[in-house]
């Protein structure tokens, strides 16, 4: 059975009586969230980070509660009723999320910011409620969408191997709420399946539901069919309990808590397109995790919303890069599949997915384990000078002008009067200032009135 390893050093872990895993080599101990190992290179800081995101999610729900609390008297009856129902649903949702994430509150008082924490910190846009739709798709919208994906992936896998899986070790990176891990585990019956995700809410739900628990979680469809579907009390449950060899782990796919050469199959379902790392560094990690001859199964979109153009690979580029980094691509498929089709929503997605099956070569694992560096050294080391780059210089000027404009807002001045002051201060001609002030105030107004705190990230 593949043992979990220290995410910093790959050293073996020992289990303590209280359930914590300890890496003697790195002198570090890792908490467990209701039996799910929380294996981050800097676990204290990661736990604190996720707690902050948990509190931010509750604050977002509180905003929705406030926005629906007192419907205006002149609203039509139907709209008033909808807001009242929404308010009741948000009250319930708050309690559901608070209870589900309660395990994040237990445990030690953890380290605040350390330089390592800054290095390993997740991008700000990964909230606990990102991918909330995936939870309902996985465990309550019916089996069809999940069945199609699983059948497609099992068929693709058969291009690389026809031998039984009963002695195989499988890993899913970015498993979400866990349904694909559950379905592959049930369908292939491997020795063991590890389902890894960075998001504790998704891990906690996947862990509990796949073991046979029924949980309730309110769904807020993106485009509700009608009044009754604006907020729906849903029950999350698995078709039947999985065996105990399906295991969840909360960790960073960029510092996976496994030793080199552990897995026969690694699946990356809808991960490469959202993970904040270059595909090349992901390939290095995948190569390291797999045994020689092991299979990497890539599924989903190739490039979705990556900020850096060089990382938005086409399918052909991904296949060529895989070849260069120690894989032989044995199958490529483009197939249209349903994606996040809530029965209560008018919005139904169909995705032309790209599936690639690649076999790892026999070469030794590439490179050494390094921690993902998500921020520059001068933020990590507080003694280093902060570089005055061209981009910072432009931002400094913009921020100064914006701060000055904000200081002119006193509830009395008009845009025209503010523009005149900017001209008097020789910051810009009045005509230009009017346009600049309007543009800036429009952004400020929109940010203040269209906060999409509960929106699904994708
Ligand atoms: C688009 S969702 C796909 C979820 C699931 N595989 C599915 O198909 O429904 C991407 C998933 O990757 C996870 N993820 C993103 N970056 C990660 C990282 N660095 N380590 C682990 N998981 C990550 C997210 O939390 C999310 O669950």
């Amino acid at each position: 059975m593949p043992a979990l390893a220290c995410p910093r050093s790959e050293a073996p872990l020992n289990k303590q009586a209280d359930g914590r895993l300890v890496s003697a080599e790195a002198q570090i101990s890792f908490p467990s969230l209701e039996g799910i190992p929380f294996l981050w290179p800097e676990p204290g800081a990661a736990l604190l980070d996720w707690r902050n995101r948990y509190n931010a999610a509750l604050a977002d729900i509180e905003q929705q509660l406030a926005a629906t609390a007192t419907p205006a008297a002149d609203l039509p009856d139907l709209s008033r009723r909808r807001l009242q129902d929404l308010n009741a649903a948000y009250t319930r949702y708050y309690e559901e999320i608070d209870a589900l994430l309660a395990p994040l509150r237990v445990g030690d008082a953890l380290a605040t910011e350390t330089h390592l924490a800054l290095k390993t910190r997740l991008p700000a846009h990964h909230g606990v409620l990102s991918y909330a739709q995936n939870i309902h798709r996985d465990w309550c919208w019916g089996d069809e969408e999940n069945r199609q994906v699983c059948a497609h992936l099992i068929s693709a896998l058969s291009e690389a191997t026809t031998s039984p899986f009963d002695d195989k070790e499988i890993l899913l990176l970015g498993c979400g709420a866990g349904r694909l891990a559950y379905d592959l585990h049930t369908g292939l019956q491997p020795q063991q399946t590890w389902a890894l995700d960075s998001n504790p809410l998704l891990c906690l739900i996947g862990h509990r539901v796949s073991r046979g628990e029924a949980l309730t979680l309110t769904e807020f469809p993106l485009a509700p069919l009608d009044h009754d579907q604006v907020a729906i009390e849903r029950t999350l449950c698995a078709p039947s309990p999985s065996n105990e060899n399906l295991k969840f782990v909360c960790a960073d796919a960029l510092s996976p808590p496994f030793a080199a050469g552990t897995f026969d199959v690694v699946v990356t379902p809808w991960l490469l397109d959202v993970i904040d790392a270059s595909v090349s560094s992901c390939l290095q990690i995948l190569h390291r995790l797999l045994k020689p001859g092991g299979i990497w199964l890539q599924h989903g979109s190739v490039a979705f919303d990556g900020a850096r153009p060089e990382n938005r690979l086409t399918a052909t580029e991904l296949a060529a890069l895989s070849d260069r980094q120690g894989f032989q691509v044995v199958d490529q498929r483009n197939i249209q599949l349903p994606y996040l089709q809530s029965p209560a929503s008018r919005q139904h997605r169909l995705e032309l997915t790209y599936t690639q099956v690649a076999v790892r070569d026999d070469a030794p694992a590439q490179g050494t384990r390094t921690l993902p560096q998500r921020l520059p050294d001068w933020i990590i080391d507080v003694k280093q000078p902060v570089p005055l780059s061209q981009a910072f210089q432009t931002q400094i000027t913009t921020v100064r002008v914006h701060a000055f404009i904000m200081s002119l807002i006193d509830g009395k001045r008009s845009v025209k009067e503010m523009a005149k002051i900017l001209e008097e201060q020789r910051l810009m001609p009045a005509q230009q200032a009017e346009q600049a002030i309007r543009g800036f105030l429009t952004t400020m107004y929109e940010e203040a009135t269209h906060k999409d705190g509960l929106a699904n990230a994708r």
Side-chain angles (χ1 to χ4, degrees):
M1 285 220 167
L4 289 162
C6 172
R8 280 197 208 169
S9 65
E10 292 187 17
L13 298 172
N14 301 314
K15 197 167 191 169
Q16 286 186 332
D18 62 359
R20 293 180 78 93
L21 292 167
V22 178
S23 165
E25 189 172 312
Q27 297 196 325
I28 184 165
S29 97
F30 302 91
S32 138
L33 308 178
E34 286 188 344
I36 304 169
F38 187 84
L39 288 172
W40 291 72
E42 189 66 31
L47 201 48
L48 186 74
D49 199 357
W50 279 113
R51 275 188 196 171
N52 289 341
R53 288 162 204 239
Y54 165 27
N55 290 329
L58 293 182
D60 279 346
I61 303 173
E62 272 169 357
Q63 275 193 12
Q64 301 298 321
L65 275 168
T68 49
T70 40
D74 59 352
L75 272 184
D77 280 354
L78 265 178
S79 304
R80 286 176 65 81
R81 224 178 64 213
R82 179 168 54 78
L83 290 189
Q84 283 159 0
D85 289 352
L86 265 176
N87 192 264
Y90 281 121
T91 306
R92 191 173 64 231
Y93 193 50
Y94 185 101
E95 285 161 11
E96 289 164 347
I97 295 298
D98 198 19
L100 282 164
L101 283 171
L104 281 182
R105 292 213 187 276
V106 298
D108 312 335
L110 290 147
T112 51
E113 285 189 340
T114 66
H115 63 265
L116 268 171
L118 283 165
K119 264 190 192 176
T120 54
R121 148 186 197 278
L122 276 173
H125 62 269
H126 283 220
V128 288
L129 297 178
S130 306
Y131 310 111
Q133 287 188 77
N134 298 47
I135 301 172
H136 290 104
R137 186 274 316 274
D138 280 8
W139 304 115
C140 85
W141 290 345
D143 290 340
E144 188 47 27
E145 190 177 318
N146 300 312
R147 190 197 60 73
Q148 284 190 38
V149 175
C150 185
H152 167 65
L153 292 187
I154 289 182
S155 149
L157 267 179
S158 67
E159 290 300 319
T161 178
T162 48
S163 55
F165 277 78
D166 53 357
D167 61 345
K168 303 269 193 291
E169 312 289 351
I170 300 183
L171 169 67
L172 280 91
L173 290 176
C175 67
R179 179 56 184 264
L180 181 62
Y182 169 93
D183 283 342
L184 287 174
H185 187 71
T186 312
L188 298 171
Q189 303 198 334
Q191 183 157 319
Q192 185 149 288
T193 303
W194 278 103
L196 178 152
D197 203 279
S198 53
N199 183 323
L201 179 68
L202 303 180
C203 292
L204 283 159
I205 290 176
H207 171 78
R208 291 175 63 181
V209 174
S210 64
R211 270 164 180 67
E213 255 189 82
L215 302 173
T216 57
L217 185 65
T218 305
E219 179 192 350
F220 298 87
L222 279 180
L225 283 179
D226 215 332
H227 189 99
D228 290 348
Q229 283 85 24
V230 168
I232 312 164
E233 196 170 353
R234 297 287 203 191
T235 301
L236 312 173
C237 59
S240 57
S242 73
N243 67 27
E244 61 185 19
N245 294 335
L246 167 61
K247 294 193 186 329
F248 284 79
V249 56
C250 186
D252 186 349
L254 300 175
S255 302
F258 300 99
T262 296
F263 290 99
D264 301 283
V265 179
V266 178
V267 190
T268 50
W270 294 96
L271 176 73
L272 287 194
D273 56 330
V274 296
I275 199 162
D276 64 322
S278 70
V279 177
S280 176
S281 54
C282 292
L283 283 174
Q284 201 173 331
I285 291 168
L286 293 166
H287 189 274
R288 192 171 178 80
L289 284 166
L290 282 162
K291 297 174 182 166
I295 301 164
W296 165 40
L297 179 58
Q298 150 65 20
H299 173 69
S301 162
V302 186
F304 199 93
D305 53 6
R308 300 170 63 145
E310 66 271 27
N311 283 345
R312 296 173 57 81
L313 304 192
T314 61
T316 314
E317 282 175 276
L318 178 63
L321 195 62
S322 311
D323 267 349
R324 277 219 307 276
Q325 290 197 218
F327 291 93
Q328 188 199 352
V329 177
V330 295
D331 194 44
Q332 293 169 277
R333 299 176 184 206
N334 293 292
I335 177 169
Q336 187 159 283
L337 286 169
Y339 193 71
L340 297 175
Q341 298 202 346
S342 168
S345 180
R346 292 176 188 280
Q347 193 231 23
H348 276 191
R349 281 168 63 179
L350 272 180
E351 295 274 343
L352 187 59
T353 60
Y354 174 68
T355 305
Q356 176 180 291
V357 186
V359 178
R360 181 207 190 276
D361 65 15
D362 292 341
Q366 301 163 354
T368 49
R369 174 172 284 258
T370 48
L371 292 182
Q373 174 123 18
R374 290 180 163 119
L375 290 171
D377 284 341
W378 48 266
I379 291 189
I380 294 154
D381 178 354
V382 290
K383 292 193 183 124
Q384 283 195 27
V386 178
L388 182 58
S389 62
Q390 186 58 48
F392 271 179
Q393 288 189 35
T394 312
Q395 275 174 308
I396 290 165
T397 315
T398 314
V399 169
R400 276 195 187 132
V401 173
H402 286 171
F404 187 62
I405 295 173
M406 292 301 271
S407 74
L408 296 178
I409 302 175
D410 62 356
K412 293 179 204 136
R413 283 191 191 99
S414 65
V415 169
K416 206 169 223 0
E417 286 163 335
M418 289 161 79
K420 200 154 173 275
I421 299 177
L422 249 66
E423 185 176 50
E424 282 161 14
Q425 298 288 321
R426 297 178 195 281
L427 286 169
M428 57 180 91
Q431 188 66 20
Q432 216 180 319
E434 256 179 52
Q435 276 182 25
I437 296 171
R438 273 179 144 173
F440 172 64
L441 291 180
T442 304
T443 312
M444 297 300 289
Y445 172 75
E446 283 176 354
E447 270 180 20
T449 49
H450 297 284
K451 198 168 180 303
D452 64 345
L454 290 174
N456 197 310
R458 233 177 48 178

